[in-house]
Amino acid sequence: APKVDLPSAPSFSAPSLPSFGDPDEKSAPVVDVAALDEVARETYQDFRQADNDAKKVEEEGRRLRKIADGKNSIRKKAKDAACEYRPGGKFLCIRGLNSGF
């Protein structure tokens, strides 16, 4: 049988782990926790105020949308009444370009 040369398998090296220093060494920076708490408290209050303002605007938007939807249904009824006697009736409603509806 003929001898077949196979390529050698690629070699892989495991990545080295990062060094975190000596665990006994206390090199953590000194942090004023009370100041961080105060900043967090202030930003939360700012968020709450903005959220309440947004809710008020959304509520006003829903009220205005309801009014607009009511006026749209009145508009559709008026258009249907106007188109009833035009060629094509209220479904096709053939009208002039300057009719406005």
Side-chain angles (χ1 to χ4, degrees):
K3 189 172 184 177
V4 178
D5 292 327
L6 295 176
S8 64
S11 64
F12 295 102
S13 61
S16 62
L17 295 175
S19 173
F20 295 111
D22 188 12
D24 295 333
E25 185 180 316
K26 303 287 184 195
S27 66
V30 178
V31 177
D32 185 7
V33 177
L36 292 176
D37 288 347
E38 182 63 28
V39 169
R41 188 176 301 111
E42 289 173 3
T43 56
Y44 180 68
Q45 289 171 351
D46 288 345
F47 161 73
R48 293 281 307 254
Q49 181 64 40
D51 191 46
N52 287 336
D53 293 345
K55 286 179 183 178
K56 288 177 187 175
V57 170
E58 289 168 352
E59 184 177 322
E60 179 70 9
R62 283 191 295 274
R63 186 182 70 78
L64 293 173
R65 171 52 44 205
K66 194 172 188 179
I67 291 170
D69 288 343
K71 289 185 178 190
N72 190 32
S73 68
I74 293 170
R75 178 200 62 86
K76 285 180 182 179
K77 289 177 185 176
K79 177 188 166 278
D80 287 347
C83 287
E84 190 171 340
Y85 298 105
R86 292 192 177 269
K90 66 180 185 178
F91 297 107
L92 191 55
C93 193
I94 300 172
R95 57 194 184 274
L97 295 175
N98 61 353
S99 65
F101 62 95

